[in-house]
Amino acid sequence: MKTITCKKDGTNLDCVVFGKGAKTLVLIPGLSFQRVKGAALPLAYMYRAFAKDYTVYVMDKKDTVPDGYTIRDMAEDTAFMMEYLRLSAADVVGVSQGGMIAQYLAIRHPGLVHKLVLCVTASRISETMEKAINRWIWLAREGDYAGLVADMFEKMYSEAYRKKNRRLIPLLSRIGRPKDYSRFIALAKACLTCKAYPELHQISCPAFVIGGKEDQVAAGSASEEIAGKLSCEIYMYEALGHAAYEEAKDFNQRILRFLQEPCFWP
């Protein structure tokens, strides 16, 4: 495991690298307070299913996020980092906000993407997403970390998971409290700039959509909308929501099976 950093626009772009495989997998995570730098071990463990067949690159957003930063800008930063690392024709997996970024990456830089997996994400803003993201922005501006953690917990996880793990909320509210909320707020606001839906027809690689029917952040219907537009394979977890990538034990295996399938894309 290692971390690679490159400079762009006077700030850093970080990438965690692990795995021994000959193929290339680019993972783009979602909105979080957590940076990939310093998180190599948990990331390598979470995505260990890919480490045998792939060298895995987990891409972060800029250290310093400018005002007005958009999902399209994030996609350009990801392309910049991939070109810096001399990566091309990679299999790309985007989760939540990372899925938004991955869509624009495939649209604007088709040569960088061999196969595309879009996880619990959306291609345009829905009322569900707007309410969830604006609530998180408000709580972050108020510095209410406990409230933010509690709201994320309620919106992201299934009812069964919440009942089983609700006692963890006070602990989670004390772990990872940021000194500054400005980066999170800027990244959250960027979610509301995603308008990829009218351009999805330009995606020319094989794609797979995976989501949760009970998603209270991106909305389960958003995954179905993307798959319909791309005419691609989709799998929806009936009883799971936005955190299906964490709750479903077979989530990564489903992605891996798609990535290992031969391409029959027109």
Side-chain angles (χ1 to χ4, degrees):
M1 294 179 292
K2 60 182 177 179
T3 300
I4 299 173
T5 300
C6 73
K7 292 282 187 180
K8 184 176 188 286
D9 303 326
T11 188
N12 291 337
L13 282 168
D14 295 316
C15 174
V16 163
V17 186
F18 60 89
K20 299 180 179 179
K23 296 185 287 186
T24 300
L25 179 64
V26 170
L27 282 165
I28 311 174
L31 174 67
S32 176
F33 284 104
Q34 178 68 55
R35 311 284 183 94
V36 305
K37 188 175 183 179
L41 187 58
L43 286 169
Y45 181 77
M46 183 173 184
Y47 296 110
R48 63 194 181 280
F50 304 105
K52 180 180 178 181
D53 295 331
Y54 287 92
T55 300
V56 182
Y57 297 80
V58 186
M59 304 284 185
D60 206 349
K61 294 88 177 179
K62 286 176 176 173
D63 271 1
T64 303
V65 180
D67 189 42
Y69 198 42
T70 67
I71 295 294
R72 197 181 294 255
D73 294 332
M74 295 180 192
E76 292 304 315
D77 289 343
T78 303
F80 180 89
M81 187 67 168
M82 289 180 70
E83 289 164 358
Y84 174 83
L85 295 168
R86 299 183 181 179
L87 306 180
S88 62
D91 290 336
V92 176
V93 176
V95 180
S96 189
Q97 185 182 66
M100 299 178 189
I101 297 166
Q103 290 169 62
Y104 279 112
L105 183 69
I107 291 165
R108 299 297 180 186
H109 302 275
L112 296 179
V113 185
H114 173 243
K115 283 188 171 185
L116 178 67
V117 182
L118 302 173
C119 310
V120 291
T121 193
S123 60
R124 56 183 173 184
I125 306 309
S126 64
E127 183 179 354
T128 297
M129 181 187 295
E130 190 171 22
K131 285 182 177 179
I133 297 299
N134 279 329
R135 174 67 176 168
W136 294 350
I137 291 170
W138 183 82
L139 289 166
R141 282 175 173 161
E142 293 294 306
D144 185 359
Y145 187 67
L148 183 55
V149 167
D151 196 73
M152 286 182 162
F153 185 84
E154 290 296 323
K155 286 187 170 66
M156 291 179 63
Y157 292 93
S158 67
E159 182 179 358
Y161 185 94
R162 295 196 306 269
K163 285 181 178 178
K164 184 178 178 180
N165 296 284
R166 195 174 300 279
R167 66 187 184 280
L168 296 177
I169 294 179
L171 175 61
L172 295 172
S173 299
R174 296 193 296 270
I175 297 173
R177 183 183 295 272
K179 295 179 180 178
D180 181 18
Y181 291 85
S182 59
R183 184 175 184 271
F184 175 85
I185 291 169
L187 292 176
K189 288 167 66 177
C191 288
L192 303 178
T193 69
C194 183
K195 301 175 182 178
Y197 184 78
E199 301 177 72
L200 288 181
H201 67 278
Q202 297 180 44
I203 293 178
S204 57
C205 63
F208 173 47
V209 175
I210 183 167
K213 285 272 193 180
E214 301 301 318
D215 194 331
Q216 298 181 61
V217 180
S221 58
S223 291
E224 295 168 336
E225 181 180 64
I226 294 170
K229 186 76 169 180
L230 294 178
S231 298
C232 72
E233 181 182 352
I234 182 172
Y235 184 84
M236 297 293 290
Y237 291 94
E238 292 289 336
L240 299 183
H242 198 67
Y245 60 90
E246 185 177 332
E247 288 192 62
K249 293 181 180 179
D250 63 346
F251 194 90
N252 288 339
Q253 289 299 329
R254 289 186 180 277
I255 293 171
L256 188 58
R257 281 198 294 272
F258 166 74
L259 296 178
Q260 291 174 334
E261 292 173 354
C263 289
F264 298 106
W265 196 256

